[in-house]
Amino acid sequence: MTDAILVLNGGSSSLKFAVFDGRDELPLVLRGNVASLGQQPRLHVEAVGDQPVIERSLGGGPIDIAKAFATVASLLADRDLLHRIGRVGHRVVHGGRDFTEPTRLDARAIEALRLLEPLAPIHQRINLEIVALAAGLLPHALQVGCFDTAFHSTRPAVAKTYGLPRAMTEAGIISYGFHGLSYSHIASKLRGRYGAGAGGRAIVAHLGSGASLCAMNCGVSVATTMGFSTLDGLIMSTRCGALDPGVILHLLQDRKLSTDRLVTLLYEQSGLLGVSGISGDMVTLIGSDDRAAAEAIDLFVYRIGREIGSLAAALGGLDTLVFTAGIGENAPLIRERIGAAASWLGLGIDHNRNQRGEEIISFAGSSVEVLVIPTDEERAVAAQLSSELHRHEHPSPGGQEG
């Protein structure tokens, strides 16, 4: 019986996984992650049903994504789940212009997605390696890609276009946007809360080691801070965020940085880590007395506050602000400071509600409702697979699929 959906979500330092029963409500069967791959890897498995939490060290040295996957495969075998898995959903960071809906990952699709590796060098290669590993483990299961960029394909052309020669735009040098699976999940939660209006004019702040903002109108992406690559927009844990292109020219021409050195600098040595010189981890920075740590936090908050203003302009106002992802869900101080930076929009955060981590953290008189909603990219992938299966099983009248 192949009724279960396995979801695999690989990053530069972790592999998240989840198994869902394929029924309409997608009951969770198993969820966990292999974290800190490059340092001291650990397996964490959540308690689901009568299964206990598992916390296990995987040794004192770094492991690659293949060994992390082998750990997950062993766990699936131990839980007697391999024979149940009929579909495997993969979070793929970059889908370019062509991949805007869940897609079967056959050889042709994989080849096209490999061409996008330079646009997401940290993630894309890892995502596709996981696809190959999963296909080897489960040769009879359907491998399906769900794309972080797809959610933002609804934006108008003016929101995607750079001031470059038209031929470059037509060749695909445009803004794509990322964190789309997270935003898709939050949009579904907003629809569940508010109905079809999905919170009206909403800004969602996905604040984790990677960070971005998305402006949504009735749950549909209108604008976002990330663009052509995952470097753009806010400063992040180790990524620089938006940067004057002249800085890149200076580093290449005057500082004589090699391309490889520049990639390492912008993706791995900048952001909170680069500004503070201490860490890219927000918990560490908040706990530090070092002035440079405070300056890194100040810059993080300032850039978010400024971009909230920009996205509110794109929306023509603001009704709802949502915090999600690691920092957004777990750092009350950062939420409160961002709320203060955006208070001119009529929002106010209730200190006590915020400290308790309630779902609604705005005070009663706030004209903008402020929420904290945990993200769930794995469930978003499973929901897309389930919806796609239903669409193919029940085509619209006349034989045309909707």
Side-chain angles (χ1 to χ4, degrees), residues 248 250-266:
I248 305 298
H250 169 72
L251 294 173
L252 289 171
Q253 296 172 350
D254 301 323
R255 296 289 187 96
K256 307 299 182 185
L257 264 64
S258 68
T259 303
D260 288 346
R261 176 74 183 88
L262 185 61
V263 168
T264 300
L265 171 69
L266 300 181

Side-chain angles (χ1 to χ4, degrees), residues 122-310:
I122 292 180
H123 299 93
Q124 194 84 347
R125 178 188 57 79
I126 292 171
N127 296 158
L128 298 180
E129 183 178 351
I130 293 169
V131 174
L133 292 166
L137 177 69
L138 298 161
H140 303 298
L142 182 65
Q143 308 289 326
V144 179
C146 297
F147 306 94
D148 256 347
T149 48
F151 184 75
H152 303 293
S153 64
T154 56
R155 291 174 299 151
V158 70
K160 303 176 187 178
T161 304
Y162 294 118
L164 292 170
R166 181 172 294 275
M168 292 184 175
T169 301
E170 292 172 350
I173 302 179
I174 61 173
S175 168
Y176 291 99
F178 297 89
H179 293 134
L181 291 169
S182 175
Y183 292 131
S184 173
H185 177 74
I186 299 302
S188 72
K189 289 294 185 181
L190 290 175
R191 289 188 190 98
R193 182 180 183 84
Y194 298 107
R201 299 166 298 181
I203 293 175
V204 181
H206 177 106
L207 306 179
S209 59
S212 69
L213 306 177
C214 179
M216 301 180 192
N217 194 351
C218 298
V220 176
S221 178
V222 172
T224 188
T225 56
M226 278 185 175
F228 179 71
S229 76
T230 57
L231 282 175
D232 200 8
L234 313 177
I235 73 162
M236 298 166 238
S237 177
T238 63
R239 283 173 261 170
C240 61
L243 200 62
D244 181 342
V247 174
I248 305 298
L249 296 177
H250 169 72
L251 294 173
L252 289 171
Q253 296 172 350
D254 301 323
R255 296 289 187 96
K256 307 299 182 185
L257 264 64
S258 68
T259 303
D260 288 346
R261 176 74 183 88
L262 185 61
V263 168
T264 300
L265 171 69
L266 300 181
Y267 277 97
E268 300 177 20
Q269 298 175 341
S270 298
L272 295 173
L273 173 62
V275 174
S276 71
I278 297 169
S279 175
D281 178 65
M282 184 59 77
V283 174
T284 300
L285 296 179
I286 290 173
S288 174
D289 294 328
D290 195 295
R291 186 177 70 177
E295 290 173 349
I297 295 171
D298 289 346
L299 183 57
F300 185 76
V301 170
Y302 166 75
R303 291 293 294 274
I304 293 169
R306 197 174 78 174
E307 290 297 330
I308 286 174
S310 171

Side-chain angles (χ1 to χ4, degrees), residues 29-48:
V29 177
L30 176 71
R31 185 197 292 275
N33 66 79
V34 183
S36 301
L37 302 189
Q39 299 173 353
Q40 295 180 317
R42 296 190 62 82
L43 170 67
H44 168 79
V45 181
E46 292 184 10
V48 177

